[in-house]
């Protein structure tokens, strides 16, 4: 095989020349020397007869790569690696196009640029697919051509903080109640144990949020004073897991002696002067809350 082609018909005509019957002929060996060209990724599909438009690109290592009886094939390991890389890139590009088209559909339906929560609510694709695929929600907006100018002015620390909020891991909602002690209402740089406790008490007055308070240590939480929320929940888990040597520690500090939880100075200064950044932070906190309640309790907000 010396002629490049991405046409299944032409490919089979080429192979067919060697398949012509002849007395004494029992085998045919095909040597393909033009594997490294556009359309080479279709070879495995062609050999198996799998030619559906939009079908998954097959690899020689796939279980679905099944040749007709008495036929075998040998692929150089380097070629298999190249085909694997090409398939990964193709699938990635395909997924990205799907997400952008879905976003455009929502934009057209709403008649405005969709917010993060709009896409969470209306998209058929999970919002975290957008975030994972593009690295962040703002990266997606940039790719889609809808990143607002003011967001392009955010400092690196603020961009990193928004990504942290989008991607932070949670087994409970505790982190969100802690973050809201800093960001709900007027942004604060430092909060006391009592202020944190009050934030938790208010947060868990919501019946949906309170569904997770099922451990024995949560008994009677409705009658707790604010400081008890701090002592039993806040200091034990969310503060410990957002300060020190853990993920996100560069954004928060904790003075254990005085029980003061604080936000990084430069980050606080930027958020304080930028209402839109503050709004973006609150939107991501709410996104995490809705996503958790949906996944954990099948509650759609």
């Amino acid at each position: 095989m010396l002629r490049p082609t991405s046409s299944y018909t032409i490919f089979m005509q080429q192979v067919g020349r060697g398949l012509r019957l002849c007395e004494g002929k029992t085998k045919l060996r095909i040597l393909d020397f033009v594997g490294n060209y556009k359309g080479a990724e279709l070879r495995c599909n062609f050999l198996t007869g799998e030619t559906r438009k939009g079908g998954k690109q097959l690899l020689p290592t796939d279980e679905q790569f099944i040749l007709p009886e008495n036929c075998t094939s040998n692929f150089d390991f380097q070629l298999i690696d190249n085909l694997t890389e090409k398939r990964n890139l193709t699938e990635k590009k395909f997924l990205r196009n799907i997400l952008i088209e879905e976003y455009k559909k929502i934009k057209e339906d709403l008649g405005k640029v969709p917010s993060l929560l709009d896409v969470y609510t209306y998209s058929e694709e999970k919002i975290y697919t957008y975030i994972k695929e593009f690295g962040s929600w703002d990266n997606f907006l940039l790719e889609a051509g809808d990143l607002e100018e003011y967001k392009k002015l955010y400092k690196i620390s603020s961009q990193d903080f928004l990504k942290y909020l989008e991607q932070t891991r949670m087994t409970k909602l505790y982190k969100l109640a802690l973050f809201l002690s800093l960001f709900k209402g007027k942004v604060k740089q430092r909060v006391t144990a009592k202020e944190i406790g009050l934030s938790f008490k208010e947060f868990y007055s919501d019946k949906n949020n309170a569904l997770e308070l099922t451990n024995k240590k949560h008994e009677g939480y409705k009658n707790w004073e604010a400081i008890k929320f701090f002592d039993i929940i806040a200091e034990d888990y969310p503060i410990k897991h957002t300060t020190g040597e853990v993920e996100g520690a560069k954004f928060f500090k904790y003075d254990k002696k005085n029980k003061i939880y604080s936000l990084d100075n430069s980050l606080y200064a930027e958020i304080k002067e930028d209402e839109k950044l503050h709004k973006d932070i609150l939107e991501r906190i709410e996104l995490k809350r809705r996503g958790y309640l949906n996944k954990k309790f099948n509650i759609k907000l």
Side-chain angles (χ1 to χ4, degrees):
M1 305 289 280
L2 297 174
R3 177 191 172 187
T5 179
S6 58
S7 167
Y8 173 69
T9 302
I10 293 175
F11 177 75
M12 291 310 298
Q13 286 175 347
Q14 291 173 330
V15 173
R17 292 193 181 103
L19 289 172
R20 290 170 182 159
L21 298 178
C22 181
E23 187 176 349
K25 178 179 175 182
T26 58
K27 294 182 180 179
L28 163 69
R29 177 176 293 168
I30 300 174
L31 302 178
D32 188 351
F33 291 100
V34 287
N36 187 23
Y37 68 91
K38 185 177 180 181
E41 69 277 6
L42 302 174
R43 278 290 190 260
C44 296
N45 293 62
F46 286 176
L47 289 170
T48 62
E50 180 57 65
T51 60
R52 288 177 305 151
K53 187 176 181 180
K56 184 177 181 180
Q57 175 198 332
L58 294 178
L59 295 173
T61 52
D62 290 339
E63 291 183 3
Q64 298 92 333
F65 182 68
I66 302 173
L67 298 177
E69 189 176 358
N70 296 324
C71 292
T72 60
S73 64
N74 292 297
F75 289 83
D76 185 275
F77 286 123
Q78 187 175 355
L79 175 58
I80 294 175
D81 290 341
N82 289 339
L83 291 173
T84 302
E85 182 179 357
K86 189 170 182 66
R87 181 167 79 175
N88 291 341
L89 289 173
T90 300
E91 290 179 350
K92 189 178 184 69
K93 184 178 180 181
F94 182 66
L95 175 58
R96 289 190 168 208
N97 287 338
I98 287 176
L99 295 175
I100 290 174
E101 288 305 313
E102 177 68 10
Y103 169 83
K104 288 180 178 178
K105 179 174 175 289
I106 296 170
K107 180 179 178 180
E108 184 177 357
D109 289 343
L110 295 179
K112 68 181 182 72
V113 173
S115 68
L116 180 59
L117 291 176
D118 285 334
V119 176
Y120 167 79
T121 303
Y122 300 112
S123 178
E124 293 183 8
E125 303 292 334
K126 292 182 179 179
I127 189 63
Y128 289 106
T129 304
Y130 291 80
I131 292 170
K132 182 179 179 180
E133 186 61 32
F134 289 86
S136 73
W137 175 244
D138 284 350
N139 282 350
F140 168 77
L141 289 178
L142 182 63
E143 187 75 15
D146 272 348
L147 184 65
E148 295 176 84
E149 288 300 318
Y150 76 86
K151 292 189 177 186
K152 297 178 183 178
L153 301 177
Y154 286 167
K155 294 179 181 177
I156 297 297
S157 58
S158 297
Q159 294 175 13
D160 288 345
F161 185 57
L162 292 175
K163 290 179 185 178
Y164 165 73
L165 291 176
E166 291 170 2
Q167 300 172 13
T168 189
R169 298 176 182 176
M170 301 190 318
T171 56
K172 294 283 187 181
L173 291 169
Y174 299 159
K175 282 184 183 180
L176 305 187
L178 177 61
F179 295 158
L180 286 172
S181 69
L182 289 167
F183 299 114
K184 188 169 183 179
K186 186 178 180 181
V187 62
K188 309 175 190 68
Q189 184 173 11
R190 300 177 182 84
V191 283
T192 64
K194 183 178 180 180
E195 288 173 312
I196 294 171
L198 286 170
S199 178
F200 271 78
K201 188 174 179 66
E202 180 182 357
F203 185 80
Y204 285 109
S205 66
D206 183 297
K207 64 179 182 180
N208 290 324
N209 299 341
L211 288 173
E212 69 173 358
L213 299 183
T214 56
N215 293 343
K216 189 174 181 180
K217 69 178 182 179
H218 299 140
E219 288 182 2
Y221 76 89
K222 291 182 179 180
N223 299 317
W224 287 1
E225 296 294 326
I227 197 65
K228 193 169 183 178
F229 277 97
F230 176 85
D231 292 336
I232 295 179
I233 301 178
E235 191 174 34
D236 179 49
Y237 179 82
I239 290 179
K240 180 180 177 182
H241 287 78
T242 56
T243 58
E245 300 299 321
V246 302
E247 176 195 14
K250 66 179 179 179
F251 302 117
F252 306 103
K253 296 290 184 292
Y254 182 57
D255 179 349
K256 189 171 183 178
K257 181 180 179 181
N258 297 301
K259 297 188 175 182
I260 300 291
Y261 187 72
S262 59
L263 184 64
D264 173 76
N265 291 341
S266 60
L267 183 59
Y268 165 73
E270 186 174 3
I271 298 170
K272 182 182 178 183
E273 298 301 321
D274 194 330
E275 291 183 7
K276 291 180 178 178
L277 175 57
H278 188 189
K279 181 181 177 182
D280 282 345
I281 289 169
L282 290 173
E283 184 177 40
R284 281 154 178 79
I285 292 173
E286 178 61 14
L287 173 70
K288 297 295 289 190
R289 185 181 83 93
R290 294 188 190 186
Y292 177 89
L293 292 174
N294 186 19
K295 183 177 180 180
K296 189 81 173 180
F297 303 110
N298 198 29
I299 295 174
K300 296 182 179 180
L301 299 174

